[in-house]
Amino acid sequence: MDLISDQDRAMMDTLIQRAHDLACHLQDEAMACEDSGEKRALAADFHRVSRAFRQTLALKLRVSRETAQAQKTALADAEARKAAQARARDEAARRRTQAHRARIENTLTRLISERHDWDECDTEEDLDRLSRILDTEELREDFDDTPPEELLVRVARRVGIEVQIEGIP
């Protein structure tokens, strides 16, 4: 990303070189001149040309710095967009995982409660075990991709509940 075109940069380089050459020539002429009036005129010309040279050189350096800053900003913006997209993907995946887990946990919590006929002691024990099992299951790479029915049967068996779902062995 350049703030000026290559052609403009080449013209600026040419201008800088010519201003430098002219300033050097004027300075040489002024040093060799014997007439003080002519020497003053050449010195004034040298001053104007060297000032133009310095300003053009400063402009080139400023454009280079601004170009570098613009590139740095563009890169930082791109990295920030990538990071935001990654955070959004991670958040969406986390929400999917939570929803997946909640479906299984809600169903099994109901089944555990029904099995123990609301016996608080056994129910709490099984619910704690269910939570630990789901924590372990959630760490599996295939957790989000496992169909809820298959996951329900697998977790239910680990909790000690037999669940029959058609098509799931």
Side-chain angles (χ1 to χ4, degrees):
M1 164 191 265
D2 265 344
L3 298 178
I4 64 172
S5 68
D6 289 341
Q7 181 182 5
D8 291 342
R9 189 177 302 280
M11 286 189 295
M12 192 180 296
D13 289 342
T14 299
L15 182 61
I16 289 169
Q17 184 60 50
R18 288 187 177 180
H20 175 264
D21 293 346
L22 180 58
C24 289
H25 177 73
L26 286 170
Q27 197 262 347
D28 290 343
E29 287 287 319
M31 295 302 289
C33 186
E34 296 292 328
D35 182 348
S36 63
E38 191 178 337
K39 194 172 219 159
R40 270 193 299 277
L42 287 169
D45 290 345
F46 169 77
H47 175 70
R48 281 190 298 278
V49 170
S50 63
R51 184 169 187 268
F53 166 75
R54 289 190 309 272
Q55 288 176 329
T56 307
L57 189 57
L59 175 63
K60 180 180 178 184
L61 292 173
R62 189 180 93 211
V63 167
S64 294
R65 278 193 309 271
E66 288 174 359
T67 298
Q69 183 60 42
Q71 289 171 337
K72 187 177 176 181
T73 300
L75 181 61
D77 289 347
E79 288 174 0
R81 277 191 305 280
K82 282 182 185 177
Q85 290 169 345
R87 283 191 305 273
R89 279 191 308 273
D90 290 348
E91 180 60 23
R94 187 184 64 75
R95 284 194 306 271
R96 279 191 309 275
T97 298
Q98 286 177 334
H100 198 50
R101 177 187 173 130
R103 283 190 298 274
I104 302 306
E105 194 166 21
N106 291 340
T107 302
L108 287 175
T109 297
R110 184 178 46 76
L111 292 173
I112 288 170
S113 297
E114 287 173 2
R115 182 175 88 172
H116 291 298
D117 204 18
W118 294 101
D119 179 350
E120 291 289 326
C121 185
D122 290 337
T123 300
E124 284 301 315
E125 211 174 279
D126 282 348
L127 290 176
D128 286 343
R129 192 168 70 212
L130 170 62
S131 182
R132 286 192 307 275
I133 291 169
L134 283 171
D135 288 343
T136 303
E137 286 289 328
E138 205 173 311
L139 296 175
R140 292 175 59 138
E141 278 189 39
D142 66 345
F143 181 78
D144 287 331
D145 299 326
T146 303
E149 298 81 13
E150 183 180 322
L151 187 58
L152 180 66
V153 169
R154 184 168 69 210
V155 172
R157 286 182 183 148
R158 289 182 63 191
V159 173
I161 299 174
E162 276 304 313
V163 176
Q164 298 295 322
I165 297 178
E166 191 175 315
I168 305 291

